[in-house]
């Protein structure tokens, strides 16, 4: 095939061949890069089931994003032979490096740690490699390890029941050709050699074999025939590492002993634990080499705690004639204080299908909501954690940025009606692995698995909870998986915060209700959607408010414990109905049901501020920032509360800090404009508002004319020109009513100011809730009509 063009790949040369096919170097003529083309054996073309499985599993493996895995770019067919186009990696196979004797213990540990990282990624997606061996791993000149042939790996959730006998043993003839066990015998785990069903722990045994071989130059198991070799794997222990060299660190002997235990439940349970131990051993050896911690290393004989990755004392001497696993005392588990704060990062959509993005986002949001109900646990808000969506972030950095002790990461893979969810919980104070689990469920079990994950996290945090809080009970308000799926799609579109997003959300929520007319969460979603459309003047007020209220009351009727529904009702009672007593009762109810609700803290702070209860307002606004520090509107709420409370210096300093986060956030400039005006620093006030004005009003001429008006006639000139533009019907057609009221009040045109206030009252403008404390309207306080309006709005 040399020089042939297959699809858009021009074949350059043959790289090699083996039992699983031939490999060629080719050029991707579209993207101008070199790729490796692996053609599978011709026998594949005669087995439709095998071809179908190959395509399915290669598609799943293409979701891997580890830097230590040779990426799969494409799958195709040429002359009835299937091929995989994958990343071409230049480097040396581990098998060749071992033959040349060109591997140090440090390099072997580093390579094994990188492979463990790759396996951790794969196992979290429900993929096992089944053929980890030295001939399947390449190391580049830069020392980066790449695992090959994940395109031939097995997706655990896709093993059919027809492939298992009554003992759940994989039938040889179904999995491969009769009498053949897939994989390379010398690297097989005991369960793989026996033909049993496999999971990720089988790969970890193979990695243990590799590590032993890299360190000693010999395989741990041998035999004259394949049968003898299998017997050795099943029954015998390999020679201890000290048989080959006295310079091999004892901790490495313990690590390999654990990886090579015959029973899979006694060896490493996750690749993450394996990787953590290897990385910490590497660090310790580097420190020993540098002499920086010689005395400490002498005090510790070097066992590794698989939970914390730190060196612990080994108390058992290694046997000279047997492998240490039989006599080794397992490492101690260190005690750990309870963790009272957590950030749940967006679960990655590993399906590579944007149409399933709603599922990974929805499960993430559900986990956040589940744990947010616990009053003793600080849970970072969705709006903050989703800032990290699509980023490959370090949990330690996230923990430091958000000031939390634990960080949860994970992936969601949907394969038809099957779900594979992989999760990992990290202690952000030191990077140690607290817990990790992989869940393989049917999509119909999504309610149960979300509850399981929530409670597993809770167990790991070790919080002292009351009897009612020992377990998180997830009540999704429906028994219909399809209705819940539609609800998640609705929330996905709602969170886009666009008119189109709200419209799509309403459609999905209505579809969910059509399936289950008692689905309270869906009614709450409709209430939120219509309420938001009204608040931002995106739809007819009376019609939209009626729908929002009706759906809110229906949600509460169906489930009185929905914090979201009580919050929606509270906002409606405050901003539209001006029923202050009822609104405060509903705000408190929402906060009691969800003590970590950012929206409830933010909205209640607004209520308290409007009522003149400034200290309380500041406290609740600050709590919203603590729970959601990356959403600037929360920080602006603190700045606003400080401003209205008359703490102008604090408000100014806080607003300037907001600009350090985002110097283009418009609301910050609006806050600064008011602060500078109240401080009498009019030059800075006008300069500030003119900075952001082009973002609100496209016309540069308006900004220039306002600047000129200020220079000629001061603040009165500025406001007069502003009102000219705002009332001419074309220059600023969407000017907020409160700016019109404030402008006329400042200019002393009291009658016009009250005329616009009456217009605002008749149209139920939300800003009237601030009437009593609004500093821009203080000039109207002496007019009896102002007190009468405050009474009509019902402000206490």
């Amino acid at each position: 095939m040399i020089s042939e063009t297959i699809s858009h790949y021009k074949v350059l040369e043959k790289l090699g061949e083996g039992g699983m096919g031939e490999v060629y170097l080719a050029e991707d003529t579209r993207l101008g890069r070199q790729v490796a083309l692996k053609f599978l054996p011709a026998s594949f073309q005669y087995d439709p089931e095998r071809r179908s499985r190959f395509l399915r599993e290669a598609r799943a493996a293409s979701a891997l994003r580890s830097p230590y895995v040779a990426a799969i770019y494409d799958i195709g067919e040429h002359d009835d032979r299937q091929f995989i186009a994958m990343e071409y990696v230049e480097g040396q196979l581990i098998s060749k490096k071992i033959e040349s004797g060109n591997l140090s213990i440090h390099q072997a540990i580093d390579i094994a740690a990188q492979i463990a990282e790759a396996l951790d990624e794969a196992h979290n997606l429900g993929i096992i490699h089944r053929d980890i061996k030295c001939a399947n791993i390449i190391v580049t000149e830069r020392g980066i390890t790449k695992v090959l042939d994940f395109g031939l790996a097995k997706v655990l959730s896709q093993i059919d029941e027809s492939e298992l006998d009554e003992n759940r043993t994989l039938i040889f003839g179904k999995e491969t050709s009769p009498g053949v066990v897939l994989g390379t015998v010398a690297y097989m785990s005991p369960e793989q050699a026996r033909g049993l069903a496999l999971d990720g722990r089988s790969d970890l045994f193979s990695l243990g074999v590799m590590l032993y071989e890299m360190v000693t130059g010999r395989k741990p198991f041998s035999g004259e025939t394949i049968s003898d070799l299998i017997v050795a794997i099943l029954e015998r222990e390999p020679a201890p590492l000290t048989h080959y060299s006295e310079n091999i660190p004892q901790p490495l002997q313990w690590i390999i002993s654990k990886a090579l235990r015959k029973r899979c439940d006694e060896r490493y349970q996750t690749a993450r634990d394996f990787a953590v131990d290897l990385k910490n051993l590497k660090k310790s050896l580097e420190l020993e080499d540098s002499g920086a911690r010689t005395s400490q290393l002498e005090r510790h004989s070097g066992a590794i705690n698989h939970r914390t990755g730190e060196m612990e004392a080994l108390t058992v001497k290694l046997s000279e004639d047997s492998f240490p696993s039989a006599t080794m005392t397992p490492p101690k588990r260190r005690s750990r204080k309870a963790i009272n704060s957590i950030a749940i990062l967006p679960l990655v959509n590993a399906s590579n299908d944007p149409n399933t993005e709603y599922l990974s986002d929805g499960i993430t949001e559900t986990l956040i909501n589940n744990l947010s109900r616990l009053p003793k646990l600080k849970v970072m808000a969705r709006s903050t954690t989703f800032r990290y969506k699509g980023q490959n972030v370090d949990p330690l950095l996230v923990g430091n940025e958000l000031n939390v002790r634990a960080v949860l990461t994970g992936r969601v893979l949907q394969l038809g009606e099957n779900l594979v969810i992989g999760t990992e919980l990290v202690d952000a104070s030191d990077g140690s692995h607290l817990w990790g689990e992989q869940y393989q469920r049917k999509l119909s079990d999504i309610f149960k698995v979300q509850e399981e994950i929530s409670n597993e996290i809770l167990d790991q945090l070790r919080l002292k909870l009351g009897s009612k809080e020992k377990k998180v009970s997830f009540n999704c308000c429906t028994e219909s998986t399809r209705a819940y799926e539609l609800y998640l799609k609705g929330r996905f579109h709602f969170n886009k915060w666009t008119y189109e997003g709200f419209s799509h959300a309403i459609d999905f929520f209505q579809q969910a209700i059509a399936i289950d007319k008692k689905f309270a969460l869906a009614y709450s979603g409709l209430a939120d959607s219509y309420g938001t459309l009204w608040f931002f003047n995106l739809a007819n007020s009376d019609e939209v408010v009626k729908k929002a209220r009706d759906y809110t009351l229906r949600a509460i009727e169906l489930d009185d414990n929905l914090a979201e529904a009580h919050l929606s009702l509270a906002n409606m009672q405050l901003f539209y109905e001006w029923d202050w007593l009822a609104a405060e009762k509903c705000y408190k109810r929402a906060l009691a049901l969800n003590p970590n609700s950012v929206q409830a803290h933010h909205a209640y702070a607004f209520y308290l501020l409007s009522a003149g209860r400034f200290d309380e307002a500041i406290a609740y606004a600050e709590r919203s920032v603590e729970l959601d520090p990356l959403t600037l509107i929360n920080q602006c709420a603190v700045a606003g509360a400080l401003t209205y409370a008359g703490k102008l210096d604090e408000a100014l300093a806080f607003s300037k800090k907001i600009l350090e986060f985002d110097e283009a956030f418009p609301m910050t400039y609006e806050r600064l404009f008011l602060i500078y005006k109240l401080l009498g620093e009019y030059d800075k006030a006008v300069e500030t508002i003119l900075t952001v004005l082009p973002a609100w009003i496209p016309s540069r001429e308006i900004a220039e004319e306002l600047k000129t008006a200020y220079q000629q006639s001061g603040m009165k000139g500025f406001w007069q020109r502003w009102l000219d533009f705002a009332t001419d019907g074309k220059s600023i057609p969407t000017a907020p009513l409160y700016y019109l009221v404030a402008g006329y009040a400042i200019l002393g045109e009291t009658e016009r100011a009250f005329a616009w206030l009456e217009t605002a009252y008749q149209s139920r403008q939300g800003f009237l809730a601030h009437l009593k404390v609004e500093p821009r309207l203080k000039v109207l306080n002496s007019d009896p009509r102002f007190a009468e309006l405050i009474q009509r709005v019902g402000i206490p």
Side-chain angles (χ1 to χ4, degrees), residues 318-335:
L318 301 178
S319 169
E320 290 295 328
D321 56 359
S322 66
F323 203 68
S325 61
T327 57
M328 187 66 67
T329 300
K332 301 173 184 177
R333 178 169 179 170
R334 289 175 46 178
S335 61

Side-chain angles (χ1 to χ4, degrees), residues 164-191:
L164 304 175
D165 66 12
E166 65 274 11
N167 297 316
R168 297 199 60 77
T169 299
L170 206 59
I171 303 170
F172 287 3
K174 278 288 190 178
E175 175 62 12
T176 59
S177 301
V180 177
V181 181
L182 191 65
T184 304
V185 178
Y187 296 88
M188 285 182 181
S189 66
E191 59 269 28

